[in-house]
Amino acid sequence: DFLNALQEIVPAFGASTDDLERCRVNGMVECGNRHEHIYKRAMLLVEQVKVSRGSPLVTCLLEGPSGSGKSAMAATIGIDSDFPYVKIVSAESMIGLSESSKCARIVKVFEDAYKSQLSIIILDDIERLLEYVAIGPRFSNIISQTLMVLLKRLPPKGKNIMVIGTTSEVGFLDSVGIRDAFSVTYHVPTLKTEDAKKVLQLLNVFSEDDIDAAAEALNDMPIKKLYVLIEMAAQGERGGGAEAIYLGKEKIKISHFYDCLQDIVRFY
Amino acid sequence: DFLNALQEIVPAFGASTDDLERCRVNGMVECGNRHEHIYKRAMLLVEQVKVSRGSPLVTCLLEGPSGSGKSAMAATIGIDSDFPYVKIVSAESMIGLSESSKCARIVKVFEDAYKSQLSIIILDDIERLLEYVAIGPRFSNIISQTLMVLLKRLPPKGKNIMVIGTTSEVGFLDSVGIRDAFSVTYHVPTLKTEDAKKVLQLLNVFSEDDIDAAAEALNDMPIKKLYVLIEMAAQGERGGGAEAIYLGKEKIKISHFYDCLQDIVRFY
Amino acid sequence: DFLNALQEIVPAFGASTDDLERCRVNGMVECGNRHEHIYKRAMLLVEQVKVSRGSPLVTCLLEGPSGSGKSAMAATIGIDSDFPYVKIVSAESMIGLSESSKCARIVKVFEDAYKSQLSIIILDDIERLLEYVAIGPRFSNIISQTLMVLLKRLPPKGKNIMVIGTTSEVGFLDSVGIRDAFSVTYHVPTLKTEDAKKVLQLLNVFSEDDIDAAAEALNDMPIKKLYVLIEMAAQGERGGGAEAIYLGKEKIKISHFYDCLQDIVRFY
Amino acid sequence: DFLNALQEIVPAFGASTDDLERCRVNGMVECGNRHEHIYKRAMLLVEQVKVSRGSPLVTCLLEGPSGSGKSAMAATIGIDSDFPYVKIVSAESMIGLSESSKCARIVKVFEDAYKSQLSIIILDDIERLLEYVAIGPRFSNIISQTLMVLLKRLPPKGKNIMVIGTTSEVGFLDSVGIRDAFSVTYHVPTLKTEDAKKVLQLLNVFSEDDIDAAAEALNDMPIKKLYVLIEMAAQGERGGGAEAIYLGKEKIKISHFYDCLQDIVRFY
Amino acid sequence: DFLNALQEIVPAFGASTDDLERCRVNGMVECGNRHEHIYKRAMLLVEQVKVSRGSPLVTCLLEGPSGSGKSAMAATIGIDSDFPYVKIVSAESMIGLSESSKCARIVKVFEDAYKSQLSIIILDDIERLLEYVAIGPRFSNIISQTLMVLLKRLPPKGKNIMVIGTTSEVGFLDSVGIRDAFSVTYHVPTLKTEDAKKVLQLLNVFSEDDIDAAAEALNDMPIKKLYVLIEMAAQGERGGGAEAIYLGKEKIKISHFYDCLQDIVRFY
Amino acid sequence: DFLNALQEIVPAFGASTDDLERCRVNGMVECGNRHEHIYKRAMLLVEQVKVSRGSPLVTCLLEGPSGSGKSAMAATIGIDSDFPYVKIVSAESMIGLSESSKCARIVKVFEDAYKSQLSIIILDDIERLLEYVAIGPRFSNIISQTLMVLLKRLPPKGKNIMVIGTTSEVGFLDSVGIRDAFSVTYHVPTLKTEDAKKVLQLLNVFSEDDIDAAAEALNDMPIKKLYVLIEMAAQGERGGGAEAIYLGKEKIKISHFYDCLQDIVRFY
Ligand SMILES: Nc1ncnc2c1ncn2[C@@H]1O[C@H](COP(=O)(O)OP(=O)(O)OP(=O)(O)O)[C@@H](O)[C@H]1O
Ligand SMILES: Nc1ncnc2c1ncn2[C@@H]1O[C@H](COP(=O)(O)OP(=O)(O)OP(=O)(O)O)[C@@H](O)[C@H]1O
Ligand SMILES: Nc1ncnc2c1ncn2[C@@H]1O[C@H](COP(=O)(O)OP(=O)(O)OP(=O)(O)O)[C@@H](O)[C@H]1O
Ligand SMILES: Nc1ncnc2c1ncn2[C@@H]1O[C@H](COP(=O)(O)OP(=O)(O)OP(=O)(O)O)[C@@H](O)[C@H]1O
Ligand SMILES: Nc1ncnc2c1ncn2[C@@H]1O[C@H](COP(=O)(O)OP(=O)(O)OP(=O)(O)O)[C@@H](O)[C@H]1O
Ligand SMILES: Nc1ncnc2c1ncn2[C@@H]1O[C@H](COP(=O)(O)OP(=O)(O)OP(=O)(O)O)[C@@H](O)[C@H]1O
Ligand SMILES: [Mg+2]
Ligand SMILES: [Mg+2]
Ligand SMILES: [Mg+2]
Ligand SMILES: [Mg+2]
Ligand SMILES: [Mg+2]
Ligand SMILES: [Mg+2]
């Protein structure tokens, strides 16, 4: 029976690794102290789950502005945990499903986890799982009730689970009571100038003279926007310039970089 | 026929004990005078149900902040009552069911109870049974109507029932009229410094010098959070320290304890 | 045909008597002048229905706070009327039914009544029949429309009907227009000190010295709460005292009575 | 074909007369000048429908407080018209039907009418047809749309129709636009003292000395309440007095009459 | 194929003419300059559709108070256009249909039109098509979305379409965005005194002396109300007078005319 | 397999070109600097998609007032990209479909795109895709959730996609969070006087003397309204004048042009 159970789990895990890697297609670079601090604390929780006696269920929420790197961080923790069962639950793989089918899938992931001794479940973009929209506001109460119960339900004896949630709508999660259902919450921030500078140095697309100005302009930018912006700027004003830049042969013109920045922040 | 009826009840009871024990996985420690007072009064009600003539239905609500020990208290009362039929109704075992299926299950529990001479029914986390969410607010009116009728309906002659409800949303229960349907309501509080200190002494994870400071910091903390916090702190700053602490070989460092406390109360 | 019709009615009536008696399990004691006045006026209406020519449909609403004795009064009127068809419609017997099934049942009761020369229909706890909840507010409009039509529809020639409604949400009934559909409304009040005293004297559970103080404390209490309270107090501080009290061997200690009173009124 | 059509209509009419008479079970007495004026104007419209060329559809709304005699007036107009097709559409005969079934029935009544040369359709208690309730407010939009279209749709050439609506919620009809769909609106009022006096004289249940005082007390009373009140008062204080009063052997005691009046107006 | 398509269209057109004529059962009289101006501009748009190159879809909204002659005007434009496909879409012919069936019918009318080289589609009483009611407000969003798309969708190459909408709820159409979907909007007004006078002269039902006073009283009256009023007044105070008036043998008494006017405007 | 996949795509593409061309039936003229600037930046993004490594998904929103040329611009970018898969998703082709069918179609378009190496998907008139209406407001949350997920979901490795959205309700898109899901947003404006003048010169329908006055009057007009207006004015006051104008034989009378302008802006 154990073998059977394992078989059920293995493919789920196999498929899942891919999903985890998709959350960090560009690899991971250092994003500053605050990101690192969160990673370390979360890894301590992973440790705690492993050796736990009294608390077989540890729950942790990563919240922060859109594109600040929450999903990538959660995926990294999952991968680095080396737990036999790591699964990401995301709206991407449930497009078009009815609320109750989504519920069923989420429950299934938890019940699969109950068969493994150590598991991590990532609830990615919880507001999207809940089909949240600010107007109304509207969201799926069926799914929200399910999550609240699952976040409190203890796994069977001998099984330990860590649940990591991510969200950029922590206010909403608060008002439905889901945030409270997590034991710990960490705020994943945008980049500060010094963080942005480190990333830019790694990417090596600016000349020494421009890098400080560029980093300054990127203050308070989420990591995702930084990548989009650099890629736009690398094209150059007339296109076709990216190859040279990425090969390190040329640098991004700071004036064009400013133009692109404008396009991206225009109406904010 | 009586034997038949009994058979129906026995397994329900058998299964149920397990459920009751799951509400107090860490055992029960003394949580201070106020918790004790409630326990005693509730046991008097149990007594009253046993010898009752005129009031075959006694209803009692335990309300208080999330994690303050309501479910554990209710389960303990159920276990200590020694009644032949003790059943906990909780959202955990009804995930994904439709509103009307949930209703049917709840009604079934009451009708099973009507067959036993003495019964206790625990309606655990009533707001979750009602699928309550503060936004809107939304909740299942079908289930709320069912509860209101069941909380008023007398059992058949010769059968006596006690119903214990728990909730951390007493304001909501008030506004739908369910709180009023209970004869008695008790407030299960968070821990005061002196309560926390007693618990810490039992756990024996702080050095004598630190225990007062730790208890002070835990003032107004629900018992659940206290347990989570201790387990986190026991890991130590670099993980792996828990074993030594639980074996009593080492003590939790008070500074690390403060750090963990911060993680937990951060955004509150 | 008449025999057939009668057969249909008799069992309905048979079943119903039981239901009526369940509304006054503790028997009926005198609750003061105001209760008595309402009883007398209602019995006059019963008389009127019997001899009526022009108004074959008489409707009367009993409203008042929760537990003030409305259902018991309505049942008593039904029993004392000696009408061949007396039927109570209550949410208790319709738990879990859909709105339209409830409607059908209510209509059936009226249509059965149309076959009897003299009938009383008790619509007990109308807000519960309507699945009313204050939040929203929500209620079943299908059922409310049905009631409004039935409360106005004349029975066939030669058949006379009295409809007695009870409610503790008269404000709600007013706002949906159901209160207006009743010809007469009576307010069933809580007990005043002197009313409570009479009841206590009958129960004979206090010593002569304490009875005035107890009655004073019970001012403005609904009869239902009074019974709950006495039963709690009769247990004594350590339980097990009820037997002696009911046998008249001992009296309730007034200090313990005050304690119990606190439990019951705590958060009101 | 004409014969066929006629057959369809005749039974409908046969059934209908009965319905019309049920609206005035107590016969019709004179209710004062204002009622008479409305009756005359409405009969002029009946006349107009008969000889009309340009306006084959005449619509008229009777609005006024509950029980003021609107339905009785509409029924009387229908009966006095001597039209071959007179039909009353009321919620009484559609209890428990779905919105769309109700719609279908209403449409059917109009389509039957289109087969007759002269028809009157009474839409009785339009707010009840619309399942209106003030909370929300809620009502059936399907039915309200249907009525609005039917009240504007011309009958086939050579067919003339009069539609009479009644309502005690003219404000609501106004806000949904149904009142506007009627060409003419008449307000059917409560009784003034002098109107009430005339009715009391006809009923002959007061002594000459009391009749003015009684009429005075009945100022602003709808005719329906007057009847209920007289029947209550006729019972006497101890019941059983009605027979003597109706036979003219005794008169109603004015003091008891005042008591009954209190019961009826108590909470208004 | 062309012949086939034509066959489909011809019956549609045949049926349609009748519908158009029903919108002006009393024929058309001159209603003053403002009505005439709108007619002329609309006929210019008809012309434009015929010869258009760049704009194969012309849309025009007629809005104005209830009964001001919008539908009659739209029908007249449709008839005078001499286009092979002229179709009126009205709620009258869709009573009781579901929202989606109504949608399908509307779409069908447009798709039939796409087969004809020149078409006019009249969307009569758009608020009724949308099942609009001011309370809420409520309306069919499915139908409103369909209309918005259809009012923007270009017909196939070589086909030209004019869409004429009518409404007396232009504010509502504005707020859902349908008014914006029309290129041009014309306001169809009530009659001014001088407009009313011209109509009265044509009808010839007043004596020379009264006609000015009558016209004065009719200032700001929609044409529909004027017709209703004249027909009422023509009956005379005791009925039966209409024949003589229409034959020109007698005139309407101005005092009776004023009385009728009161009935019609009473509560406005 | 690749061939198979290609086959699936080719017809989609074939059908699509037609759809794209329908968005610019009148061809494209120069609309001023601001339009041109947006076109150039968007073409840079097209370029970026082609050579991208790190960002296989580029999203861009064109927003602006109704009729300002957003769809035409998006279609032009799609055509000029020369990508093998260019598809426009518009409400026109989904009239009458249920929300979930619409979802399925949209998902299908993305999944087809995932099979092509380079794709452009145009989400035209997103508020219409979402069935948005300002009253309420109402919209399809199923579709909005689907779009939000699709706008974030990365295509499979090696496949690059550009998504262009258009909307005239950017405020609404903002409030549901869809605007945020686009990396870049451009505002497509109405014409300024100088832009309008250029267009008028190309159309050559005014005399030299009038062109400045006409352009002045057209300040702040969307391009779509300009075309409607010119076509109306070209008819002349009595119709039939368009031919001569388009052939260049005559010019539009400025006074008539002003009249038409009035019809179009009347109630704004
Ligand atoms: N530390 C990092 N180093 C390199 N790239 C990163 C890092 N963190 C995030 N990214 C990249 O930035 C992008 C956004 O990150 P991610 O999706 O994790 O953010 P998020 O906060 O989950 O965003 P959202 O709120 O949209 O869900 C991704 O492409 C990811 O690969
Ligand atoms: N007296 C006690 N001694 C030891 N542990 C306790 C005690 N009371 C509660 N606990 C533990 O604290 C945790 C929270 O208790 P419990 O679930 O009863 O709280 P609750 O008030 O029902 O919380 P919630 O509001 O989340 O339902 C449980 O793990 C329980 O085992
Ligand atoms: N006159 C009385 N004498 C003795 N017991 C009474 C009397 N009236 C009511 N009771 C008892 O009091 C309790 C409450 O009465 P009852 O159910 O009639 O009140 P109610 O007003 O209908 O309450 P609710 O608002 O909850 O429906 C019942 O147990 C009933 O038996
Ligand atoms: N003129 C009259 N003479 C005698 N009885 C009358 C007269 N008018 C009405 N009634 C009686 O008064 C009662 C109420 O009248 P009716 O039902 O017509 O009032 P209504 O205005 O339609 O009331 P509701 O608002 O409840 O529909 C009926 O029993 C009717 O028979
Ligand atoms: N010019 C006219 N000459 C004669 N009769 C007219 C004229 N215009 C309208 N009518 C008549 O007036 C009545 C109302 O006109 P119509 O139905 O067109 O108004 P409407 O504005 O569409 O009204 P609604 O707002 O109710 O739809 C119709 O009976 C119609 O025949
Ligand atoms: N640059 C242009 N040159 C010529 N015609 C144009 C140009 N841009 C737009 N048009 C025309 O103007 C009309 C409106 O343009 P389009 O539909 O693109 O506007 P839109 O902003 O998408 O409008 P909507 O908000 O209604 O969707 C179309 O007929 C289109 O052919
Ligand atoms: Mg994320
Ligand atoms: Mg609990
Ligand atoms: Mg009751
Ligand atoms: Mg009536
Ligand atoms: Mg019209
Ligand atoms: Mg567009």
Side-chain angles (χ1 to χ4, degrees), chain D residues 171-201:
Chain D
F172 162 63
L173 291 207
D174 216 11
S175 61
V176 288
I178 289 185
R179 185 198 204 282
D180 248 33
F182 283 94
S183 308
V184 196
T185 301
Y186 293 109
H187 176 71
V188 182
T190 53
L191 304 177
K192 289 283 153 215
T193 296
E194 65 262 26
D195 305 327
K197 189 173 173 186
K198 273 189 217 151
V199 176
L200 291 184
Q201 282 168 332

Side-chain angles (χ1 to χ4, degrees), chain D residues 2-17:
Chain D
F2 188 74
L3 286 176
N4 268 339
L6 216 74
Q7 277 179 328
E8 281 181 54
I9 292 170
V10 173
F13 176 58
S16 177
T17 317

Side-chain angles (χ1 to χ4, degrees), chain A residues 41 44 48 51-55 107 137 139 141 145 148 152-155 175-176 179-180 186-187, chain B residues 22 26 92 95 125 128 131-135 138 231-232 235 237-239 243 260 263 266-268:
Chain A
R41 300 306 288 238
L44 266 185
Q48 176 179 339
V51 306
S52 168
R53 302 185 176 183
S55 56
V107 172
F139 60 94
N141 194 22
Q145 296 297 326
M148 274 189 281
K152 230 172 131 175
R153 183 162 78 167
L154 298 181
S175 60
V176 290
R179 184 197 203 282
D180 246 34
Y186 293 109
H187 176 72
Chain B
R22 291 197 82 200
N26 296 326
E92 272 194 22
I95 287 181
D125 236 347
R128 204 54 55 240
E131 305 178 3
Y132 166 72
V133 70
I135 295 184
R138 303 193 209 168
E231 187 134 15
M232 273 180 74
Q235 287 303 108
E237 274 159 293
R238 276 179 214 100
E243 198 65 19
C260 294
D263 276 5
R266 205 166 227 164
F267 298 99
Y268 292 86

Side-chain angles (χ1 to χ4, degrees), chain A residues 67 69-72 124-125 166-167 224, chain F residues 152:
Chain A
K70 303 172 296 292
S71 303
D124 194 31
D125 236 347
T166 80
T167 186
K224 186 178 195 171
Chain F
K152 232 171 129 175

Side-chain angles (χ1 to χ4, degrees), chain C residues 11 13-14 17 45 54 70 87 92 95 102 111 129 137 149-150 164 198 241 244:
Chain C
F13 176 59
T17 316
L45 291 176
K70 304 173 294 293
K87 188 90 189 175
E92 274 194 20
I95 287 180
K102 287 183 182 177
E111 277 177 357
L129 294 178
V149 174
L150 289 173
I164 306 174
K198 274 189 216 147

Side-chain angles (χ1 to χ4, degrees), chain B residues 212-226:
Chain B
D212 280 308
E216 187 70 49
L218 290 170
N219 188 24
D220 227 25
M221 183 82 39
I223 178 86
K224 187 178 196 172
K225 284 235 144 116
L226 181 148

